[in-house]
Amino acid sequence: MPRLENGLTLLAKGYAWLPDVRRRTGRRAVGVRLGGLPAVGIEGPEAARFLYDEDHVRRSHAIPEPVQGTLFGKGAVHTLDGEVHRVRKAMFVSLLMREDGIASLVQRTTSAWDDAVPEWTRRPFVVLMGESAQVIAGAVTRWTGIPLRDDEVPSLARDLVAMVDGFATGGPRHVRARRARGRRQRWLTELVHDVRSGVTRVPEGSAVDVVSKHRDADGTQLSARVAAVELLNIIRPTTAVAWFMAFSGHALIRWPQYRERLAGGDPAFAEAWAHEVRRFYPFAPFIGGRAPQQLEFGGEKIPKNAMVLLDLYGQNHDPELWDSPYAFRPERFLDREIGEFELVPQGGGDPRTNHRCPGEQITVALLSALAVRLARLDWEAPEQDLTIALHRIPARPRSGVVLRVNSTV
Ligand code: HEM
């Protein structure tokens, strides 16, 4: 398994790492090193198409241990290839990509937001990122059928945020992420055992029910631990929509001219907002896997077993794809079809068959609905540090976006 650290340059430069090498060399495909291994960084719709061909890139044995030990979990769908991947992925698609399921999750989450607002008005200030994480974590966890008391929500939200926050660093954030993963895997492993033995009853067809019963391509049931990993692969990334809420708060403070239009609730504009937030702000830096054979892309030789990295942040700011890419302009998505391999904050291509994120509709639906609520809320932003450091992966506004909430409007 490759190590993560050689990323001395990666750690120092973060999101600017691959774009800087491309700028320096004037090439779309650049040879670099990651974790001591040769790697090739690529970018653009053709590059995305190239990466999603399984003859070009395999995921097993490609994801560094520190990322599996915090972000994805060991044995996760992210690390599978071929038929084994397709059968596991079909489980996620059936749970996450149904319109009625998405609508009920949005309904639960917006109600949880509305319930939280009166309490926010009684406090001197709230931190948008943390509050959003609690609202979403409580709602999505109950939506999956996992039993959860109200008093368990804050610590669960903290753990889910920690797992995302600590995957790309060696410091205390990483230690927190590993501890959080250990705690939550143990909790859900026990739940899966109890569901299987009938000690705990969960709703038929809920994610807990489906994941507990799922059989892999070889006909075997998931181990309780892997079932716990995959349940976390639903509730953790959904809670991570809190990052996009913090970015939405950042955007409303920086470009207040959009607040009224967003508050108007026009679904087309709210969706365009969600797309622009996901395009403009840095979150997932790149995705990748290993080349199973010697390959070539964009004039760059890719040795067998080298890592192939698709630069998501770079592609979302490619001037050939996006007019004035460093301008925040939600309108750009009002009159534009989005090609399958163009907007890639959550991967590209067809999520039903490849590794693209199966939670993209959920992300857009939740973000659109919550951003409209944020725009409607009566708040002011006190003086604070809203810097988003590009060397920190995952990036976030430093203050977490502090708001003084005035009334429940
Ligand atoms: C995969 C980003 C939300 C579940 C991915 C990938 C990215 C990503 C970049 C990898 C794509 C690839 O390797 O080709 C994000 C971001 C999100 C988000 C930025 C916003 C917070 C969600 C949500 C869910 C989810 C809401 C579930 C409800 C997954 C799963 C995979 C995945 C299960 C693995 C898919 C596979 O390997 O086949 N996501 N995601 N994500 N995401 Fe998301």
Side-chain angles (χ1 to χ4, degrees), residues 11 14-15 40 80 108 146 150 185 235 318 325-326 380 393:
L11 293 182
Y15 297 87
V40 176
L80 307 177
R108 273 180 189 271
I146 297 171
D150 283 349
Q185 265 181 214
I235 65 174
D318 180 339
Y326 289 94
E380 288 141 40
I393 299 177

Side-chain angles (χ1 to χ4, degrees), residues 290-350:
R290 270 181 194 261
Q293 54 180 323
Q294 188 183 316
L295 300 163
E296 191 175 318
F297 181 82
E300 186 71 29
K301 285 229 165 7
I302 305 175
K304 183 175 171 179
N305 280 330
M307 290 289 288
V308 184
L309 306 174
L310 179 70
D311 180 5
L312 304 181
Y313 178 75
Q315 182 164 332
N316 286 337
H317 295 82
D318 180 339
E320 283 181 26
L321 275 173
W322 314 103
D323 186 32
S324 308
Y326 289 94
F328 181 85
R329 279 209 322 242
E331 313 84 294
R332 72 171 79 239
F333 285 107
L334 287 176
D335 52 7
R336 171 185 178 134
E337 291 286 309
I338 308 172
E340 235 190 342
F341 291 97
E342 288 178 358
L343 178 68
V344 291
Q346 295 174 242
D350 181 358

